[in-house]
Amino acid sequence: MVKRKRAGLVKLNNLPLLQNLIRRDPPSYQEEFLLQYRHYESQRDIFMSTPSSSSTSTDASNAEKFADLVGFMSQVANCYPQYTKTFPEDLGSLLLNNHATLHPDLREKLVQSLVLLRNKDVISSPDLLKTLFPILTVTKAKALRAQIYTTIIAEMRNANAKTKNHKLNKTVQAVLFGLVETGKDDPLSTVGLWAVKITRELWKRNVWDDARAVEIMKEAALSRNHKVMVGGARFFLGVDQEKEEVLEGDSDDDGLGSYVEKLRKGAGISKTAKKKRQLEKAVSVLKRKERAKHKPHPLNFSALHLLRDPQGFIEQLYSMHLSPKNTKLSLENKLVVLQLVTRLIGLHKLELLPIYSYILKYLTPRQREVTHFLACTAQASHDLVPPDVLEPLVKKVADEFVSDGVASEVATAGLNAIREICARAPLAMTTTLLQDLTEYKGSNDKGVMMAARSLIGLYREIAPEMLKKKDRGKVAVMDIKKTGGPRLRFGEEKSGVIEGLDLLEEWKEQQRKLKNGEAGEENGEGTDEGDNEDGWEGWEVEDDEDSDNEGWTNVESDDEIVLSDTEDEKPVKRPKLAKAMKGKVKEDEEEKEEEEKEEAEKEEKETEEQKTAEEIREEEKRINKLAMTRILTPADFAKLAELRTQAALDKQLGKKRKNAETTRTTNEDAITSDIIAHTHAPAKSNKEERMAKVLAGREDREKFGSRKHKALDEKPHSSTNREKARKKNFLMTLVGAKRKQRMGLVEVRKGLVGKRSSSRERRGNRYIQTID
């Protein structure tokens, strides 16, 4: 009786209440469910026969009622699986066949119901995706496409949340690969664009990271459709404009440790605002670098490395998009393809000789986006490219960009481009051209000067014999004297080292010294005698002063004396001859002393240079020995990361370190247009920026100006006669001015005396002297 009364109270048209009751007790409300299910079937048949998308009130109300029924059935479908076997198929067929004519709200509800059935495990992920993918590529409704796109991405992320669902991934990748292949040869087909978007988003979210996804984007980059091709090329270049993952910028000194705290304490003790600003700036720069390490790299190296045949890929890209026959691509799209081709050439050290002649025609200062073409030229350079191929490029850049008749920005870009090319292929530079370019180190422009100096610093390391003697440096000169210097050979590979390994060795050496010092202090009582004995080592007992001296004794020569026969006559000197001989002797002695000093200075310089060269060689040998003879533990790697952070912060603060490593450019590094156009000098600001800086500097300070009458202006007061006279009309003061011009000497004198006396009274002088 209680059940019947309870069922009688339930209103059949109140679907949310009935849904709640069914989920609590499904067997008790089976009849009510079946009644609603029959109602759903009748409404479904009506919509399957005559689907309508008209915006009339009756159609909108019918669509809303049917949408409510669909939502109710999807919520309770798992409670009655024996009656709802065909329910997911009905929804899928209704959406597939009539998505263009259904009401927008009803279409949205159908997609949501399918997702809900997947979440309740009524249907599987492949069944859901098989329903949504065909609609995504066909429908013209923007809202429906966006909903299906977000649904696919969310479903793939959920399926691969705990472990990789390889079966589902292969199925979806096969579908996307088919989408790209169907529209690959049709310039008007945009079917592959959705495959590009989905693959890029899943790769960015770390759902896919295998070679099959890379093959999808490789085929997309070889598509005839420009949008699909650009999307595939930008995937490899890492230019994703829809970044959604942004790291938190408010993290407090991540990875810097206690080293920053020590520096901050030191900056606080010094009490100078300049040091504090320098520290904060260095910390902010280092924090940005730390964030860049943890976030996905802007250049997707793993995707570039997973290509199965990069040589064949760049040949296909060049023949399809960059050949002279293809004139349909715009300059921007050609530049994207060129960046991808040159990036692959530099990374994998491939050879595509026609690309260099293709780039040559774009290397002019008047070319649009010329810095990007210069960056592509540097990216396509590596040590396995024949120097004869790269020499025309370097000469063209030097002739067009680096001369006295161009702007400083152009010369800076040219020198930077030449430096980046020569850092990857040093043999592309000739000795004559290098010595001509190094003369720009004396330029008045800072950007040109720094670019020329960076080129000199590069060749000091790799080929100092190509530089002038004054530009080689001490270490390079000593190496050239002893070993002839480093010799460049075509195709020679150099062994790499672990970055920061010298820092770890220095730290370990310091720890050993500290331990030895502590051990010496503990056992310091018995070490005095040993120290004293060690202190006297190398000393010998002096000989007696009376010991026989061997060798000749130098005696000063006397003046020449002529002896006479008589005793009365005194000896006669020859002053002229004696003075001449003395002068010659002194000159000879001074010349000998100067020569000895010069030789001593040369010997000291040579010894110092030899010491520095030997120290560098010993340091390199020690580092190589450490890398070859010791296995680094995880604790060593953790300390190595900490020491690198400290060294980076010291470098930002301008601190120098002995035997510091020089950063070598590798082909793994990408080159951007900002590196080429870097001028080392602040850009000229316009008037708005300068005024903004002026106004920002005026905050939290007093207003500049005279302090006269400042105390009087703060209080309410009447104006003085002088202030009133300034505000009077000129015609009113004209008579008084003329009268002052006619004043005699006596009147002027009286006026001056009155002013003096009044000023003394104001100063508080008690004794006033007046002139009668």
Side-chain angles (χ1 to χ4, degrees), residues 272-530:
T272 57
K274 183 178 179 181
K275 286 188 177 181
K276 291 181 180 180
R277 286 196 303 269
Q278 288 177 351
L279 177 62
E280 296 299 329
K281 185 178 179 181
V283 171
S284 63
V285 171
L286 195 58
K287 283 169 67 176
R288 286 198 299 270
K289 290 182 179 180
E290 290 292 329
R291 289 191 219 112
K293 288 179 183 177
H294 295 294
K295 72 179 181 181
H297 201 277
L299 295 167
N300 203 337
F301 291 103
S302 58
L304 293 171
H305 284 291
L306 286 173
L307 284 168
R308 294 179 181 176
D309 185 15
Q311 180 67 38
F313 182 43
I314 64 170
E315 290 176 358
Q316 290 177 349
L317 283 173
Y318 178 77
S319 62
M320 185 176 292
H321 302 302
L322 299 179
S323 62
K325 299 178 182 179
N326 190 358
T327 58
K328 296 180 180 180
L329 277 180
S330 62
L331 181 64
E332 289 77 10
N333 294 342
K334 284 185 179 180
L335 190 56
V336 171
V337 178
L338 184 63
Q339 286 175 348
L340 177 58
V341 172
T342 55
R343 184 77 183 91
L344 289 170
I345 290 173
L347 180 64
H348 295 280
K349 294 188 176 181
L350 309 176
E351 287 191 7
L352 188 65
L353 299 183
I355 198 70
Y356 302 102
S357 59
Y358 176 82
I359 296 174
L360 192 64
K361 61 183 178 181
Y362 292 104
L363 298 180
T364 57
R366 295 183 179 180
Q367 173 64 42
R368 186 160 53 98
E369 304 292 343
V370 67
T371 54
H372 292 281
F373 285 104
L374 290 172
C376 292
T377 307
Q379 281 187 150
S381 305
H382 56 84
D383 52 359
L384 298 181
V385 179
D388 298 338
V389 178
L390 293 176
E391 280 183 12
L393 294 173
V394 176
K395 289 182 180 178
K396 180 72 177 296
V397 174
D399 294 339
E400 295 286 342
F401 291 84
V402 188
S403 63
D404 296 332
V406 299
S408 59
E409 293 82 1
V410 178
T412 303
L415 287 171
N416 288 337
I418 292 172
R419 183 199 65 222
E420 295 296 335
I421 293 171
C422 296
R424 290 158 174 78
L427 293 173
M429 177 68 71
T430 60
T431 305
T432 307
L433 180 59
L434 177 62
Q435 293 179 1
D436 290 341
L437 293 177
T438 54
E439 293 298 325
Y440 286 91
K441 66 181 180 180
S443 175
N444 294 329
D445 186 77
K446 186 178 180 182
V448 178
M449 177 191 66
M450 294 299 292
R453 287 185 177 181
S454 64
L455 187 62
I456 293 172
L458 173 66
Y459 273 90
R460 277 183 179 179
E461 299 177 11
I462 56 177
E465 68 277 1
M466 296 177 66
L467 293 168
K468 292 182 180 179
K469 190 173 182 180
K470 62 181 180 180
D471 296 330
R472 292 174 182 176
K474 291 193 296 184
V475 179
V477 169
M478 292 305 303
D479 287 339
I480 291 173
K481 285 183 179 179
K482 284 195 171 184
T483 62
R487 295 179 181 178
L488 296 177
R489 296 179 181 178
F490 178 69
E492 184 180 4
E493 293 286 341
K494 293 184 178 181
S495 60
V497 295
I498 301 174
E499 182 184 357
L501 194 60
D502 57 338
L503 299 172
L504 183 63
E505 181 62 21
E506 288 178 5
W507 179 78
K508 287 182 177 292
E509 189 67 27
Q510 291 175 2
Q511 296 298 318
R512 289 192 205 100
K513 289 181 180 179
L514 289 174
K515 288 181 180 179
N516 294 334
E518 291 176 358
E521 289 178 358
E522 291 176 358
N523 302 324
E525 294 179 357
T527 57
D528 294 338
E529 295 179 359

Side-chain angles (χ1 to χ4, degrees), residues 108-331:
E108 183 181 358
K109 192 66 178 180
L110 291 175
V111 176
Q112 290 177 356
S113 300
L114 288 172
V115 174
L116 184 60
L117 292 174
R118 170 67 192 97
N119 294 336
K120 291 180 177 294
D121 291 331
V122 178
I123 59 175
S124 61
S125 293
D127 295 335
L128 174 63
L129 297 176
K130 285 178 183 178
T131 305
L132 297 179
F133 267 117
I135 303 171
L136 178 65
T137 57
V138 175
T139 184
K140 296 181 180 180
K142 187 176 181 180
L144 183 60
R145 289 200 304 264
Q147 185 183 10
I148 293 175
Y149 174 75
T150 54
T151 302
I152 292 172
I153 297 299
E155 180 60 29
M156 293 301 299
R157 291 185 65 191
N158 294 333
N160 294 273
K162 295 181 180 179
T163 56
K164 294 287 185 182
N165 192 344
H166 296 287
K167 185 177 180 181
L168 179 62
N169 292 339
K170 288 181 180 180
T171 304
V172 176
Q173 286 168 353
V175 173
L176 297 179
F177 193 83
L179 291 177
V180 175
E181 285 290 330
T182 52
K184 183 178 179 180
D185 298 329
D186 187 6
L188 302 177
S189 177
T190 58
V191 178
L193 192 59
W194 288 106
V196 171
K197 288 184 177 181
I198 292 171
T199 306
R200 183 175 58 189
E201 186 68 21
L202 294 176
W203 187 278
K204 185 182 71 174
R205 295 181 181 275
N206 257 342
V207 179
W208 288 351
D209 53 0
D210 53 355
R212 291 188 296 271
V214 175
E215 287 298 317
I216 294 172
M217 304 306 288
K218 175 183 174 181
E219 294 298 324
L222 297 173
S223 176
R224 294 288 181 183
N225 185 271
H226 296 170
K227 292 183 179 179
V228 179
M229 181 269 297
V230 171
R234 287 187 183 276
F235 168 78
F236 290 104
L237 294 173
V239 183
D240 190 4
Q241 299 177 358
E242 299 176 356
K243 290 183 179 180
E244 297 177 358
E245 299 175 355
V246 179
L247 295 176
E248 296 181 359
D250 299 331
S251 58
D252 187 17
D253 298 344
D254 294 335
L256 302 184
S258 59
Y259 188 68
V260 175
E261 297 298 328
K262 293 179 182 178
L263 290 174
R264 279 181 173 164
K265 288 179 181 178
I269 292 170
S270 62
K271 296 181 180 180
T272 57
K274 183 178 179 181
K275 286 188 177 181
K276 291 181 180 180
R277 286 196 303 269
Q278 288 177 351
L279 177 62
E280 296 299 329
K281 185 178 179 181
V283 171
S284 63
V285 171
L286 195 58
K287 283 169 67 176
R288 286 198 299 270
K289 290 182 179 180
E290 290 292 329
R291 289 191 219 112
K293 288 179 183 177
H294 295 294
K295 72 179 181 181
H297 201 277
L299 295 167
N300 203 337
F301 291 103
S302 58
L304 293 171
H305 284 291
L306 286 173
L307 284 168
R308 294 179 181 176
D309 185 15
Q311 180 67 38
F313 182 43
I314 64 170
E315 290 176 358
Q316 290 177 349
L317 283 173
Y318 178 77
S319 62
M320 185 176 292
H321 302 302
L322 299 179
S323 62
K325 299 178 182 179
N326 190 358
T327 58
K328 296 180 180 180
L329 277 180
S330 62
L331 181 64

